[in-house]
Amino acid sequence: METKEDPRALRLEKMLQDALKPITTKLEHLEQEVESMRREQKELKKMLEEK
């Protein structure tokens, strides 16, 4: 038995993906920023320990 996806469900899925895109993009940007801050923090910690 072949199952066909409901075109309305596919449209809804596409709408949700489009609506979430800016949020997803922002989240990815924030994750990169956090990673960058962690690296910076490690470097600062290392510098402080060397003194």
Side-chain angles (χ1 to χ4, degrees), residues 3-47:
T3 58
K4 258 193 162 180
E5 292 230 23
D6 186 344
R8 291 171 301 178
L10 292 172
R11 261 199 316 276
L12 183 59
E13 187 178 4
K14 174 89 172 89
M15 281 173 56
L16 282 170
Q17 284 173 345
D18 290 348
L20 289 173
K21 192 139 190 81
I23 297 167
T24 307
T25 304
K26 180 72 174 168
L27 195 57
E28 287 167 353
H29 176 74
L30 288 172
E31 286 171 340
Q32 288 169 1
E33 223 172 288
V34 166
E35 196 51 49
S36 170
M37 290 171 132
R38 284 197 180 122
R39 279 194 300 271
E40 204 174 309
Q41 187 182 24
K42 275 183 188 171
E43 288 172 23
L44 290 170
K45 215 178 211 176
K46 201 190 246 180
M47 285 169 65

